[in-house]
Amino acid sequence: MAITKANSLKGEIKVPGDKSISHRGVMFGAISEGTTELTGFLDGADCCSTIGCFRAMGIDISQDADHVIIHGKGLHGLKAPSQMLDVGNSGTTTRLISGILAGQPFVSSLNGDESIQKRPMGRIITPLTQMGAHVRSIKDNGCAPLEIGGAPLKAIHYDSPVASAQVKSCVLLAGLYADGVTSVTEPVVSRNHTELMLSGFGADIKSEGLTASIVGGPKLYGQKIEVPGDISSAAYFIVAGLICPNSDVLIKNVNTNPTRAGIIKIAQDMGGNIELLNERIVSGEPVADIHVTSSNLHGCEISGDIIPTLIDELPVIAVMAACADGTTTIKDAAELKVKESDRIATVTENLKNMGCDITPTDDGMIIKGGQPLKGTTIKTYLDHRIAMSFAIAGLVANGETTFDDESCCCISYPKFFETLSSIVNQ
Ligand code: S3P
């Protein structure tokens, strides 16, 4: 794949289904009674890992591209898997499924690829252990492979040191199997799909400020869910439409849940022409069409409570900052270091190689934008968001941008390059 400079970007596109909602739809459907039907499901490698794990525990799931039907067996209907569950590259699968496994009357184990084996699992081992679960990092390094032994769980209140929806969701899911009320307080509110969706499946779950709580032992019932487009995938085209000349792009049917939509506010703060059209609620989630046109951007500071609402978009926001006049400072984003790659390091290395003035910091980066970028070979570190963010940088760079391996896009957006070429005019 080689990307060259675009003269303009024009057209109307749809992005694949939301990854967080697709994972949760499968998981919650599996532990509910009756049938759950997902349309608009993200048919990417990560969500397919979740499907594989639940099939391995006896759940009948049929999939035809973005249409998935899950024949749930209720809260206590999972069977012990006969081998280690394979979570692939997916942190969401690993951390959320661990909460469910902790409540089962059997011992299970899970493992994934090289990247997942480096990601911190102490953050879920600690609260699950407090709840009485037997969870062990098999290599004793705080990472997968994990062994999870079923034990009776007790409800706890957990003060999470990180704003992480995966940690919050793990504890809330374990809370389904505990007597009484389990609650989690976060330092800053993270994405709230678990709270919205589990309530739709029949759980007694509440959010008040920084705290989410759930009552154990509910009956959950299968649902029909229309999965909206993923704002994390729309982000590439939002930035592309803003930074490329003569551009006008409409991205239809995108999830704009405020706990996810920080990129829209930042694009506006940087002077971007971005508007939300046709705002509506679909399956309990806010959805809109996003319209962007070419803009003269300027730098800004990105820090504080907005960070969890755009954490996965920071690589492509860094590309936007490289194309904006002046300085952009990203702070309070140390979580970037423990994503599919260390995204402070991988964004810095690639933007530097493209000729951008960027300085990494402990919890973010400082980007002095406005200088022309030059094409290079992107080192993706097999991180899907690095590959796609730098494909967008390639649209404004002089010369050719290539990739050491762009196959990682299949994790969240298998047809990314097809969609991109449908709107690029060279
Ligand atoms: C996710 C939560 C976020 C995000 C990830 C998906 C989720 O991770 O980065 O891509 O679906 O709950 P953290 O919980 O580690 O912040």
Side-chain angles (χ1 to χ4, degrees), residues 102 127-133 151-157 171 174-175 177-183:
L128 290 177
T129 305
Q130 284 175 22
M131 294 179 83
L153 298 182
K154 55 175 188 284
I156 58 164
H157 171 73
V171 176
Y177 294 91
D179 271 343
V181 179
T182 295
S183 53

Side-chain angles (χ1 to χ4, degrees), residues 25 29 35-39 67-70 201 222-227:
T35 302
T36 288
E37 184 175 357
L38 309 175
T39 49
H67 186 213
V68 174
I69 297 177
I70 303 128
F201 278 82
Q223 298 295 308
K224 274 194 172 185
I225 295 173
E226 268 179 64
V227 182

Side-chain angles (χ1 to χ4, degrees), residues 14-19 21-22 37-43 64-68 225-230 253:
K14 269 184 94 174
V15 292
D18 188 274
K19 184 152 79 71
I21 294 175
S22 297
E37 184 175 357
L38 309 175
T39 49
F41 177 80
L42 168 58
D43 185 18
D64 180 8
D66 71 351
H67 186 213
V68 174
I225 295 173
E226 268 179 64
V227 182
D230 196 325
N253 197 43

Side-chain angles (χ1 to χ4, degrees), residues 228-263:
D230 196 325
I231 193 161
S232 300
S233 297
Y236 308 113
F237 300 102
I238 292 174
V239 171
L242 297 174
I243 65 175
C244 291
N246 313 311
S247 295
D248 189 324
V249 180
L250 182 66
I251 312 155
K252 305 270 283 182
N253 197 43
V254 183
N255 180 226
T256 50
N257 180 321
T259 64
R260 295 286 301 283
I263 185 171

